[in-house]
Amino acid sequence: MDILTRFELRKIMRRKSFYAGIVILIVAALFLSIILVANIQTTGKDGKFLNGMAAIQLEREYNRQLAGPLTIEKMEAAVKRHQNLLRDPENLDDKGEMTVEANAKYDVKDNQIQFLITDAFSPASGYDFYLINKINPEDVKEFYQKRMEKVQGFLNSNESGNNYTVKEKAFFTKMNEEIPVPFQMNYVTGWKNVFENLPSLFLIIAFVIAVCLAPVFAGEYQKGTDSIVLSTRYGRSKAIAAKLKASFIISVGLIVLAIGVYTFLILGVFGFDGANASVQMIRFLAPVPYTVMQTYMWAVLIGSLACLLVGALTLWLSSRMGNSFSVIIAVGILLVGTQFIPENKNSRLFNYLIDLLPGNMFYSFSKITGYEVFHIGWKLIPEYKIMVGFSVITITLLLPFSYRAFKKHQVV
């Protein structure tokens, strides 16, 4: 690292806003993690509800027993176990339903597999909670076929609001057909919770980055030091490049810190199990052939690029505006305000453009497991992959604009 870059790094890191940003990120990661732990609930073996760590440990114990390929034999056995319990009068209450005690002692351990079966065989119009009671165990051999039927039902319904073309339907059908079966089961609650609050975390990271980078150029204007910087030997070349490099290093460092703390906090509590499970264990109709870990890597990549895009935009605004506060306000409006823009049911192009704004890219897990596709020439490309390319291209374009804006700044 050259001397000028180290100098610019020290300038950013000496500001109170930098240390405040680190504290905010750590507190946010802690807060988002604590909320998820506190909301966990399951039925204990004695029939009483368990919360927090006790619930997590019991659910992990049960789901680990089901880990492995989601085979027809495994599903058929789970259905038979459940229905055999219903045939024993000792397990039923006055209404003929399974007692809480019987459910807690024998049935709750199969919940994960029961939910998957119910999801696949329930009608498109709703979720049949009692389906597992009446389904023929032999019918589960159609599990994967039923899932494909639900995919087709989604693509052909108005529920999606997308009015998919024949070509798009064929595209998503092929994507689903290429997903490896049988699905891999495992305990995935930890990873599911990681995905749940990632958008909020990315939003906080992006805002902290904006606060840290806003003074990079605008601060020079405010203090009147722009004349000194630009009049030095390397003021209009290497000094500007050093500012950009230092800003990138700070942004990456903040992203790694926040995501690392958040992920390890949650998985440290819930367990790291499930990384190799199929993502369909979390989002049943997801059209991608990824494991949970692969999906996590994609989600982090897209969200991180969105944060870096906010950083690049902040630098460009900083090079154009006279003070840091104006830059922060402008970025804040972009991050928060754009998330309230409603979808346009008559214009998919408008929706595409809105989705490419950083505030919407923070919802990366939903984008990866969703059914949105871009038309690039004659080719169809999933939306989440477009987001990666768009972010890289836009960042690459914004940095030279920032460089030139400060370089050509006329000192008054």
Side-chain angles (χ1 to χ4, degrees):
M1 188 185 300
D2 58 84
I3 296 175
L4 285 175
T5 302
R6 288 199 298 270
F7 174 71
E8 293 297 334
L9 273 173
R10 284 196 295 270
K11 283 175 65 176
I12 297 174
M13 295 173 67
R14 284 174 179 171
R15 298 188 186 107
K16 293 181 180 178
S17 59
F18 175 75
Y19 293 103
I22 291 178
V23 172
I24 289 171
L25 291 178
I26 294 175
V27 170
L30 282 167
F31 177 73
L32 294 173
S33 304
I34 291 171
I35 289 177
L36 294 170
V37 174
N39 288 336
I40 291 295
Q41 186 181 76
T42 192
T43 306
K45 295 178 181 180
D46 58 358
K48 297 179 180 179
F49 285 113
L50 297 176
N51 297 286
M53 287 301 301
I56 291 169
Q57 291 171 2
L58 186 60
E59 184 180 352
R60 185 165 56 205
E61 176 189 332
Y62 287 152
N63 289 357
R64 280 176 173 175
Q65 295 173 9
L66 298 173
L70 181 59
T71 61
I72 302 302
E73 293 76 18
K74 184 181 290 187
M75 288 186 282
E76 187 174 337
V79 174
K80 287 180 178 178
R81 283 194 296 270
H82 175 79
Q83 294 182 355
N84 286 337
L85 289 172
L86 294 175
R87 294 189 185 101
D88 187 344
E90 293 186 2
N91 297 325
L92 306 179
D93 59 18
D94 296 338
K95 297 179 181 179
E97 297 180 354
M98 188 180 298
T99 63
V100 174
E101 292 76 17
N103 175 268
K105 190 173 182 179
Y106 305 111
D107 201 48
V108 71
K109 62 184 67 176
D110 282 330
N111 273 358
Q112 185 184 34
I113 201 166
Q114 290 175 5
F115 291 154
L116 290 168
I117 294 171
T118 304
D119 206 347
F121 286 86
S122 289
S125 57
Y127 188 88
D128 185 354
F129 289 93
Y130 297 98
L131 183 142
I132 201 72
N133 297 349
K134 54 195 176 185
I135 188 175
N136 188 324
E138 295 182 359
D139 289 344
V140 297
K141 65 179 180 294
E142 299 177 356
F143 174 83
Y144 292 104
Q145 178 184 336
K146 287 292 183 180
R147 181 187 172 278
M148 285 300 300
E149 289 176 6
K150 293 203 80 168
V151 169
Q152 293 301 321
F154 172 79
L155 293 173
N156 288 294
S157 71
N158 293 324
E159 176 187 340
S160 60
N162 286 312
N163 298 319
Y164 294 105
T165 65
V166 173
K167 187 176 181 181
E168 289 168 343
K169 292 176 185 177
F171 177 78
F172 283 117
T173 298
K174 184 179 179 182
M175 281 184 66
N176 277 280
E177 289 174 345
E178 292 176 351
I179 297 173
V181 294
F183 296 155
Q184 293 297 312
M185 291 188 69
N186 208 327
Y187 171 76
V188 294
T189 302
W191 292 99
K192 181 179 180 180
N193 284 311
V194 168
F195 290 129
E196 185 171 332
N197 279 339
L198 266 182
S200 299
L201 184 66
F202 285 136
L203 176 62
I204 297 169
I205 294 171
F207 187 74
V208 169
I209 288 175
V211 171
C212 290
L213 301 190
V216 169
F217 295 115
E220 305 287 4
Y221 303 150
Q222 282 180 272
K223 297 175 182 177
T225 53
D226 52 327
S227 58
I228 298 174
V229 173
L230 293 172
S231 63
T232 59
R233 180 179 180 183
Y234 298 115
R236 295 182 184 270
S237 55
K238 292 183 179 181
I240 304 176
K243 287 179 179 291
L244 297 177
K245 284 189 286 185
S247 299
F248 177 78
I249 293 170
I250 290 293
S251 299
V252 171
L254 292 172
I255 291 170
V256 171
L257 172 68
I259 294 177
V261 171
Y262 170 74
T263 301
F264 281 97
L265 273 174
I266 293 180
L267 295 183
V269 173
F270 285 89
F272 290 80
D273 309 56
N276 292 325
S278 303
V279 72
Q280 285 73 25
M281 296 299 100
I282 298 176
R283 189 65 60 83
F284 187 59
L285 294 185
V288 290
Y290 300 142
T291 64
V292 170
M293 173 58 81
Q294 290 170 332
T295 307
Y296 170 78
M297 297 302 292
W298 271 106
V300 168
L301 173 64
I302 294 169
S304 299
L305 284 173
C307 291
L308 290 176
L309 177 56
V310 171
L313 180 63
T314 301
L315 289 171
W316 178 69
L317 291 173
S318 179
S319 70
R320 307 287 300 183
M321 293 184 170
N323 63 80
S324 306
F325 185 73
S326 299
V327 175
I328 295 171
I329 293 298
V331 174
I333 292 173
L334 172 70
L335 289 176
V336 179
T338 54
Q339 296 191 46
F340 292 96
I341 300 176
E343 289 188 357
N344 189 325
K345 295 183 178 181
N346 299 317
S347 175
R348 292 182 69 182
L349 177 60
F350 174 82
N351 295 334
Y352 287 160
L353 296 176
I354 294 300
D355 277 351
L356 292 176
L357 293 173
N360 290 321
M361 281 195 279
F362 295 154
Y363 295 88
S364 50
F365 177 72
S366 297
K367 304 303 181 183
I368 297 164
T369 57
Y371 284 75
E372 196 56 81
V373 64
F374 277 58
H375 294 253
I376 307 296
W378 66 90
K379 195 171 183 180
L380 298 182
I381 303 176
E383 181 182 47
Y384 70 95
K385 292 184 178 180
I386 292 294
M387 288 177 169
V388 172
F390 173 80
S391 299
V392 172
I393 292 171
T394 307
I395 291 169
T396 304
L397 291 174
L398 280 173
L399 293 180
F401 281 128
S402 304
Y403 184 99
R404 293 193 187 94
F406 188 70
K407 179 180 180 179
K408 294 181 179 180
H409 173 68
Q410 298 298 316
V411 180
V412 178

